[in-house]
Amino acid sequence: MKENKNDFKPYIPADQVVPEFTVTALILGILLAVIFGAANAYLGLRVGMTVSASIPAAVLSMGIIRIILRKNSILENNLVQTIGSAGESVAAGAIFTLPALFLWAKEGKIDSPSILTIFLVALVGGILGICFMVPLRQALIVEEHGVLPFPEGTACAEVLLAGEEGGNKAGTVFSGLGIAAFYKFIADGVKVFPSEIGYDIKAYAGSSVGIQVLPALAGVGYICGPKISSYMLAGGTLSWFVLMPMIALFGADATVFPGTEAISTLAPSALWGTYIKYIGAGAVAAGGIISLIKSAPLIISTFKQAMGSMAKNHANADAPRTQRDLPMPVILGIVVVIALAIWLLPIFPVSPLGAIIVVVFGFFFATVSSRMVGLIGSSNNPVSGMAIATLIIATLLLKATGTTGTSGMIGAICIGSIICIVAAIAGDTSQDLKTGFIVGATPKLQQIGEMIGVIASSAAIGYVLYLLNAAWGFGSNEIPAPQATMMKMLVEGIMNAELPWALILIGIFVAIVVEILGIPVLPFAVGMYLPFSLSAGIMAGGVVRWILERRKTDDEKEKKASIERGTLFTSGLIAGEGLMGVILAILAVLKVDSKIVSPVALPQIGSLIIFIALLAYLYFICVKKSKKTN
């Protein structure tokens, strides 16, 4: 039932002033922005998706500010999560696109992008995303209160409002973080047991079954839930147990473009890398475009609301504290300066047309992203689909206007990177402003805090990318960088007219069939594109969530609390593995990783037993706590 926005009263009234924009909040927020940015960069490069950092950031903030510093301010905690969650969004946008530049550098086509280039691309995208969201706040957050649910933003507000439990909740996140870090170190650092187990099925040529037994995958599956996990597994099943065996059966000894060897000589992993990636890329691209087409009515209505909101902007000194935004003249000034910088600075290989594309598409997709997360949440926001659509259009426009070759490809990736970050940050900002609306925060201070988080995480993301690339190399088994590899293939194929269109069209029509059947296309398409073992690891976490959701109990509140505790624990698992991944990358760069390898290694069955034990412990954590609170 719709709640009248005029009847809504925030937790902290507009006429009450409490600590909010403090030195403690700034320092803690910046620290969490860098930490969650690095962890999500590793996670995204490995599995092709990131998770929202708002709730774990809020919980850790409460644990530190309330328990350690003995302070008590819900608005201070809210500002910490606002700044901290920006790191995850910057990382999400950057890792979906920028590794393509490193891959071209590895091929000798260009020089590696400088830290300054990465910083400016991330900074420009992040600041634009925030600026484009400011005039949408009144339309989406205030006017649509009670209509748009904003799942993560509302959940984060609930966590903040339940602040008296903050210490226990923070302990849950920290325990997951520690367990995952230790698990990752033992598996991929000391190599006591393999983190991936698999078996090529000889009797069914072209197929292979396996699972990656890592905590972050279980965490992603638990947070996404059994439905999304099962869609990914279904996509992987189609690729690895239908399409690849068909290629092996009908291809036999033939050499088919883009392959350079006979199909009969290719192992399943090589079949996947040579052919399935293109089919998956077509499916993901089609899924992204389908989601945009389906959102067209929402996009049009949101634009109308945005224009009306800009005409009656509430950012003035006389407005109540909870209605003060950054002034529109300031916002417009920042956008103009950024557009000129994109055009004039040589560090951006973008023409005036490219600068216009960035601003126009940026505002368009910021509007789409902000509305989409209000409806379906950040985890289901098709940011990569928006980036793909932008990339295709930008590449075609640049090629049509004479910007071709490597300069055209770099320009297309830079435009796609900025738009991807714009969409990710706009979605994150809208969730954070929804949280602030409920708890009674000052929007202007939140918007400034979001910009500080963007600056901090943009400064760090370049070093994280360089570190991970130096340790393992993008496109490797450790960090396959699925989206960036796909973006690279699309740009190269359009610029050089070398795309294997037959494979891409297969993926496009598979996506259309899936859409007709009523199955969400993007998770299915991502499952087609990624290794089956990865989707299987994610499905394992989804199964635990499925069991918990169907556990019979007379107390629904207790059941909800147990699932929430699992969400916090698995958020810690994701952050812990991500941070240990960064540490292992440092050891690899320093050439000391080989010196810590254990002389004894467990067989694959040992890996499976340990992973099952981790899943059982996740279930136990949820159920044990819920019994205590019963």
Side-chain angles (χ1 to χ4, degrees):
M1 184 174 178
K2 184 174 178 178
E3 179 184 6
N4 192 320
K5 64 180 185 295
N6 296 320
D7 296 335
F8 175 77
K9 302 295 181 186
Y11 181 74
I12 302 293
D15 58 358
Q16 183 177 343
V17 178
V18 299
E20 185 171 4
F21 200 89
T22 64
V23 174
T24 301
L26 285 176
I27 294 173
L28 193 54
I30 289 170
L31 184 64
L32 291 179
V34 173
I35 289 173
F36 281 111
N40 265 291
Y42 175 82
L43 177 71
L45 289 166
R46 186 173 182 91
V47 308
M49 63 176 64
T50 59
V51 294
S52 174
S54 293
I55 292 176
V59 169
L60 292 176
S61 167
M62 286 191 296
I64 294 169
I65 289 179
R66 290 176 181 274
I67 307 301
I68 299 175
L69 301 179
R70 304 290 182 182
K71 296 173 69 179
N72 185 11
S73 171
I74 190 171
L75 299 191
E76 204 173 3
N77 288 319
N78 178 60
L79 191 71
V80 172
Q81 72 83 16
T82 298
I83 299 172
S85 63
E88 169 260 325
S89 297
V90 168
I95 57 95
F96 286 167
T97 48
L98 288 175
L101 300 178
F102 288 89
L103 292 168
W104 281 324
K106 184 179 179 181
E107 295 171 2
K109 294 178 180 178
I110 62 171
D111 294 329
S112 295
S114 67
I115 294 290
L116 182 60
T117 299
I118 297 171
F119 167 68
L120 288 176
V121 167
L123 180 67
V124 163
I127 299 298
L128 280 178
I130 297 165
C131 289
F132 290 148
M133 175 56 210
V134 171
L136 299 174
R137 189 190 71 83
Q138 183 69 23
L140 298 182
I141 308 297
V142 180
E143 302 291 337
E144 293 288 317
H145 181 65
V147 178
L148 295 178
F150 283 98
E152 286 94 346
T154 303
C156 189
E158 290 175 359
V159 169
L160 288 169
L161 292 172
E164 64 275 7
E165 301 175 32
N168 292 333
K169 290 182 177 180
T172 304
V173 179
F174 277 121
S175 64
L177 194 151
I179 289 170
F182 179 74
Y183 187 111
K184 176 73 173 176
F185 181 74
I186 295 299
D188 287 344
V190 183
K191 299 188 185 301
V192 171
F193 59 91
S195 59
E196 180 175 359
I197 59 179
Y199 174 72
D200 293 352
I201 305 172
K202 304 295 183 185
Y204 190 37
S207 65
S208 178
V209 65
I211 184 171
Q212 294 186 27
V213 290
L214 287 168
L217 299 184
V220 169
Y222 183 94
I223 290 172
C224 289
K227 276 194 174 181
I228 297 295
S229 301
S230 65
Y231 296 145
M232 289 188 66
L233 187 71
T237 301
L238 177 64
S239 289
W240 288 73
F241 296 99
V242 179
L243 298 179
M244 284 164 51
M246 286 178 67
I247 292 171
L249 177 64
F250 296 119
D253 295 325
T255 302
V256 180
F257 178 78
T260 56
E261 300 176 30
I263 288 175
S264 59
T265 65
L266 299 178
S269 58
L271 279 174
W272 170 75
T274 306
Y275 301 105
I276 297 300
K277 274 190 172 184
Y278 288 98
I279 296 175
V284 172
I289 293 168
I290 287 170
S291 69
L292 294 181
I293 293 171
K294 290 170 68 177
S295 304
L298 287 174
I299 293 166
I300 294 168
S301 64
T302 304
F303 264 120
K304 290 179 180 178
Q305 287 179 314
M307 294 302 106
S309 180
M310 288 176 71
K312 55 177 183 178
N313 185 258
H314 293 261
N316 60 74
D318 298 327
R321 179 184 60 79
T322 53
Q323 283 296 322
R324 293 177 194 161
D325 293 297
L326 287 170
M328 278 309 300
V330 173
I331 294 297
L332 292 173
I334 292 173
V335 171
V336 170
V337 168
I338 288 177
L340 291 172
I342 293 172
W343 170 30
L344 297 174
L345 288 180
I347 205 162
F348 293 105
V350 173
S351 63
L353 174 65
I356 293 171
I357 291 173
V358 166
V359 173
V360 173
F361 276 78
F363 185 62
F364 177 78
F365 284 129
T367 305
V368 174
S369 181
S370 300
R371 184 86 186 201
M372 292 286 281
V373 300
L375 284 169
I376 60 176
S378 299
S379 301
N380 300 315
N381 190 18
V383 170
S384 59
M386 300 178 201
I388 290 166
T390 303
L391 209 62
I392 293 171
I393 294 168
T395 308
L396 290 171
L397 285 174
L398 289 172
K399 186 177 181 181
T401 54
T403 308
T404 57
T406 54
S407 60
M409 293 192 296
I410 295 169
I413 286 292
C414 283
I415 292 171
S417 299
I418 294 171
I419 299 302
C420 200
I421 296 168
V422 164
I425 283 289
D428 173 69
T429 302
S430 63
Q431 293 283 14
D432 290 338
L433 290 174
K434 182 65 175 184
T435 303
F437 178 73
I438 294 171
V439 302
T442 309
K444 180 179 178 179
L445 296 182
Q446 278 193 283
Q447 290 153 10
I448 294 171
E450 198 85 40
M451 289 184 179
I452 291 171
V454 164
I455 294 168
S457 49
S458 298
I461 192 66
Y463 293 99
V464 174
L465 291 178
Y466 260 90
L467 176 67
L468 296 174
N469 186 55
W472 298 301
F474 297 133
S476 64
N477 290 331
E478 288 82 3
I479 43 172
Q483 272 92 349
T485 306
M486 178 183 59
M487 307 284 187
K488 171 180 175 286
M489 288 192 306
L490 287 174
V491 172
E492 283 180 340
I494 293 171
M495 278 291 181
N496 303 326
E498 292 178 351
L499 275 179
W501 282 106
L503 295 175
I504 290 190
L505 287 170
I506 289 172
I508 289 171
F509 284 106
V510 166
I512 291 171
V513 170
V514 168
E515 174 64 27
I516 291 170
L517 293 174
I519 298 170
V521 178
L522 279 174
F524 186 92
V526 169
M528 285 182 65
Y529 186 81
L530 293 172
F532 176 83
S533 59
L534 198 148
S535 297
I538 291 173
M539 188 68 234
V543 168
V544 175
R545 176 72 173 261
W546 181 81
I547 293 171
L548 282 167
E549 289 176 345
R550 280 153 184 76
R551 189 167 58 95
K552 292 184 178 180
T553 175
D554 295 328
D555 189 348
E556 285 300 317
K557 185 177 179 181
E558 175 268 339
K559 183 177 180 180
K560 182 181 177 182
S562 70
I563 292 173
E564 180 191 337
R565 185 169 177 82
T567 300
L568 294 175
F569 182 75
T570 50
S571 294
L573 291 181
I574 291 167
E577 183 180 325
L579 294 176
M580 182 51 67
V582 173
I583 292 171
L584 291 178
I586 294 172
L587 296 178
V589 171
L590 296 176
K591 307 297 183 185
V592 297
D593 55 325
S594 59
K595 298 178 182 178
I596 61 173
V597 175
S598 169
V600 179
L602 296 175
Q604 290 193 1
I605 187 66
S607 297
L608 194 58
I609 291 171
I610 292 170
F611 189 57
I612 291 172
L614 176 70
L615 298 173
Y617 184 69
L618 166 59
Y619 179 83
F620 173 74
I621 280 283
C622 300
V623 176
K624 180 183 178 183
K625 181 61 180 178
S626 60
K627 285 180 179 178
K628 280 185 178 181
T629 57
N630 198 2

